[in-house]
Amino acid sequence: MCQSSTCPHCGKPLRLSARFCGMCGKPLPRRAQSSLNALKHRSRVLGGKILPGLISLALICFALTIINPVRQNLLAAIGWDESNALPINTATATITTFEVRETNDSLSTPTVAVAPPSPTTHAVAESSDKSLLEVHVIDVGQGDSILIRTPEGKTALIDGGYDNGRALAYLQAEGVTRIDVMVASHPHADHIGGLVEVLTALSVGEVWTSGATHTTGTYERFLDAIIAAKVPYYEARRGDAIPLGSLNLNILHSDPNASELNNTSVVLRLAYGRISFLFTGDAEHAAEYEMLATVRDQLSATVLKVAHHGSYTSSSPEFLAAVQPAVAIYSAGRDNTYGHPHPGTIQALRRIGATVYGTDEHGTIVITTDGKNYHVQTEYDRPPIQAPPTDTWHDSISLIPGSNLSIADRDCSDFTTQAEAQAFFLANGGPGRDPHRLDGDNDGIACERLP
Amino acid sequence: MEESSYEPAVIDRFEGEYAVILVGEMQRPYDILRHRLPPAAREGDWLRIERIDNQIITVQLDPEATAAARQRILSKLERLRRGEHLRDA
């Protein structure tokens, strides 16, 4: 605790919960704060004191073992066939969250039934029910890697994290020997590095990119691996549909000419029955505004893979309002240097009612769906991510690099477009903060009157 | 005191106040504060870094290396776009 009361970089005294130093602006080690926050969380959940909390937990666990038949009746009552849910092929994951939602459509507010965590590890190798779609957000450390398995057994891999072997190891542990469709959202090393290893070790049917290029050795190796494996190479355009068995990966964005590589990201939507997924790569505000202008009516999704590791550069309120996710999942490395995910992003996701999971806290996250219901399974048994209390991140937001809080107060006339004002608004804390009062009506949209 | 050594690196991306550079043949990622790079440095620029152990002492842009990488990569990409790699023996 004493260590976290001064900045390790410049020695300035800090609040215990600060994530960035108020003096030098450098991010602070997260370990101390996250254990502190975890402690706060537990004491809140279990009634304010640790010891009674532990006793309550033991009692709850005991009660859950007794009420298991009741749980099954509850699930049956809301239409969930448990044979759909289990068994699921999870060599590494323990079922720690079991969440069922009755979804009449993805935009309605679903009835939520949360069943108790199952204490069992299901080591069954194959799913007996072939009607299930699985989406695995793989814990690859800092980076993105997402495996999709369709009911027909087709596989897609969106990104592969760094070349640290983790994506490939996960696929091998899952018994995946072939990737039918590989998508590189954009050419940054934390997305394509691991794809090189997969291309080298497994059979790959086709590779899709936006066509954006890079000059790094990692990107060149990616091209070399496609050439060596003789895999057909395609470049996606908005409006394309990449077939994956009888399902489609619909391309909502893919812009090789965007000025920053993150905004070249291939953004895909996958729908299975009433359940849908939106995979956003590292798309930032500029790409989000383009999608809002062109494909707004196609953005809604039950599950959102949060863009750019939960960074403040992405997940604008308008974009989230169009997606309306019930579940939001980001991928970020534990204790990463960049402060991912940013607290404002978590708050924005919570504000629209999404249940938030992150690979830094939950490990690999697997969503399984029969097209009507879905459930979320996490490697580590932890509660969903909550927005940190606002007073703990005011300091960090004002010091987000590139933001200009030190400058004089701004008003809407300082911006030429709404998008520009919005980006500034978000970079300075977004809804709930708004030190420049750009969002007078508090609807999350700054300077509505600008073009 | 250890002697310094020079190594090639390339800017993979910027993340807030950090640049992520990929160092050496292994393209090992390394976070460096953005202000330690030359002001003109952009995503995709190759660099020559001087370091002692794990500490980066100086960073210089290497425009020739950037141009060479770009040209090499574009010619590989053209092969892929035309599907030539599928026809090769």
Side-chain angles (χ1 to χ4, degrees):
Chain A
M1 300 264 277
C2 295
Q3 283 180 335
S4 62
S5 65
T6 57
C7 172
H9 306 289
C10 69
K12 185 197 178 248
L14 298 165
R15 284 186 223 166
L16 279 179
S17 48
R19 292 184 63 179
F20 289 75
C21 173
M23 180 67 81
C24 64
K26 290 178 182 164
L28 301 168
R30 278 188 69 197
R31 191 156 315 195
Q33 332 151 6
S34 58
S35 60
L36 188 71
N37 288 342
L39 203 63
K40 280 183 190 162
H41 177 81
R42 268 194 199 122
S43 34
R44 222 171 21 244
V45 167
L46 297 176
K49 296 221 166 57
I50 302 299
L51 188 58
L54 289 174
I55 294 168
S56 317
L57 187 62
L59 286 173
I60 290 167
C61 292
F62 178 68
L64 292 183
T65 57
I66 292 178
I67 63 164
N68 198 38
V70 179
R71 172 176 78 115
Q72 285 171 6
N73 291 340
L74 175 73
L75 296 174
I78 61 162
W80 177 260
D81 177 5
E82 201 154 18
S83 67
N84 282 348
L86 305 169
I88 287 157
N89 175 11
T90 48
T92 54
T94 303
I95 294 187
T96 53
T97 305
F98 187 92
E99 182 171 298
V100 183
R101 294 185 182 204
E102 181 72 25
T103 49
N104 295 322
D105 66 67
S106 61
L107 293 175
S108 67
T109 305
T111 314
V112 182
V114 180
S118 161
T120 322
T121 300
H122 296 275
V124 182
E126 286 297 323
S127 169
S128 58
D129 189 325
K130 297 296 183 192
S131 69
L132 297 178
L133 172 78
E134 297 171 17
V135 172
H136 304 232
V137 182
I138 306 169
D139 177 11
V140 290
Q142 182 70 15
D144 260 20
S145 185
I146 298 143
L147 167 69
I148 300 168
R149 271 179 151 166
T150 75
E152 304 153 295
K154 296 284 181 186
T155 53
L157 184 67
I158 303 171
D159 294 337
Y162 274 116
D163 53 351
N164 55 16
R166 293 175 69 163
L168 178 60
Y170 183 84
L171 296 177
Q172 288 174 330
E174 285 287 300
V176 174
T177 55
R178 177 181 165 82
I179 296 295
D180 295 295
V181 175
M182 175 182 278
V183 180
S185 69
H186 68 293
H188 282 151
D190 56 333
H191 291 252
I192 61 165
L195 294 180
V196 179
E197 298 164 325
V198 174
L199 279 160
T200 308
L202 304 184
S203 151
V204 176
E206 51 196 50
V207 172
W208 289 78
T209 76
S210 73
T213 67
H214 209 346
T215 53
T216 63
T218 302
Y219 177 72
E220 187 167 3
R221 249 170 243 174
F222 173 60
L223 299 186
D224 288 341
I226 304 170
I227 291 170
K230 299 189 176 179
V231 180
Y233 168 89
Y234 303 106
E235 293 177 358
R237 289 294 164 266
R238 174 177 295 134
D240 285 352
I242 305 173
L244 187 64
S246 57
L247 302 179
N248 280 317
L249 296 167
N250 292 298
I251 308 297
L252 302 188
H253 184 80
S254 177
D255 180 4
N257 302 314
S259 59
E260 290 184 3
L261 284 175
N262 281 343
N263 284 322
T264 67
S265 288
V266 179
V267 175
L268 311 97
R269 185 175 185 275
L270 169 68
Y272 179 50
R274 294 171 181 162
I275 307 297
S276 51
F277 299 82
L278 188 65
F279 305 104
T280 52
D282 277 359
E284 300 187 354
H285 293 139
E288 291 177 352
Y289 288 121
E290 216 178 298
M291 285 186 272
L292 287 169
T294 52
V295 291
R296 183 189 286 265
D297 59 340
Q298 298 168 50
L299 291 171
S300 80
T302 322
V303 180
L304 170 68
K305 196 296 290 178
V306 179
H308 196 190
H309 321 292
S311 170
Y312 64 85
T313 60
S314 310
S315 302
S316 64
E318 301 93 309
F319 186 75
L320 296 183
V323 179
Q324 282 293 320
V327 173
I329 301 173
Y330 65 83
S331 178
R334 277 173 279 283
D335 302 321
N336 67 75
T337 315
Y338 323 114
H340 295 158
H342 289 121
T345 307
I346 302 299
Q347 195 195 47
L349 292 164
R350 294 290 301 127
R351 194 174 277 247
I352 54 158
T355 305
V356 184
Y357 299 92
T359 58
D360 55 349
E361 291 293 322
H362 296 97
T364 293
I365 298 148
V366 182
I367 298 113
T368 309
T369 174
D370 60 0
K372 297 190 277 291
N373 299 303
Y374 63 90
H375 78 254
V376 181
Q377 197 183 334
T378 63
E379 186 176 359
Y380 305 123
D381 183 10
R382 293 190 181 145
I385 310 282
Q386 301 299 325
T390 319
D391 63 345
T392 65
W393 53 278
H394 276 175
D395 284 352
S396 69
I397 284 298
S398 65
L399 285 152
I400 281 174
S403 77
N404 266 335
L405 248 203
S406 56
I407 61 153
D409 187 36
R410 295 256 190 124
D411 58 42
C412 289
S413 63
D414 293 322
F415 305 96
T416 49
T417 64
Q418 193 275 331
E420 193 188 315
Q422 186 71 21
F424 180 84
F425 168 67
L426 294 168
N428 285 280
R433 171 96 171 109
D434 197 17
H436 298 268
R437 296 172 299 281
L438 302 176
D439 177 21
D441 55 0
N442 243 335
D443 62 354
I445 300 167
C447 305
E448 280 107 331
R449 270 173 278 176
L450 289 174
Chain B
M1 175 140 172
E2 297 261 347
E3 286 209 10
S4 67
S5 61
Y6 287 86
E7 226 175 340
V10 58
I11 302 173
D12 186 54
R13 63 191 192 275
F14 294 104
E15 299 278 9
E17 66 180 336
Y18 286 93
V20 182
I21 61 175
L22 305 173
V23 179
E25 173 68 18
M26 295 303 290
Q27 294 278 279
R28 203 162 44 80
Y30 189 104
D31 295 323
I32 181 168
L33 283 166
R34 207 167 173 155
H35 69 72
R36 296 196 55 206
L37 298 178
R42 296 283 173 269
E43 208 171 53
D45 282 346
W46 278 81
L47 311 165
R48 274 187 75 71
I49 58 170
E50 179 191 8
R51 56 181 202 160
I52 297 175
D53 293 332
N54 214 23
Q55 294 299 309
I56 293 180
I57 311 300
T58 64
V59 181
Q60 285 177 306
L61 288 173
D62 188 344
E64 291 80 16
T66 307
R70 183 167 291 132
Q71 196 166 14
R72 219 170 42 239
I73 282 170
L74 282 179
S75 85
K76 288 178 181 179
L77 196 62
E78 279 313 308
R79 285 186 64 199
L80 283 171
R81 284 173 170 158
R82 289 196 292 263
E84 287 172 10
H85 65 300
L86 304 175
R87 295 194 286 274
D88 290 352

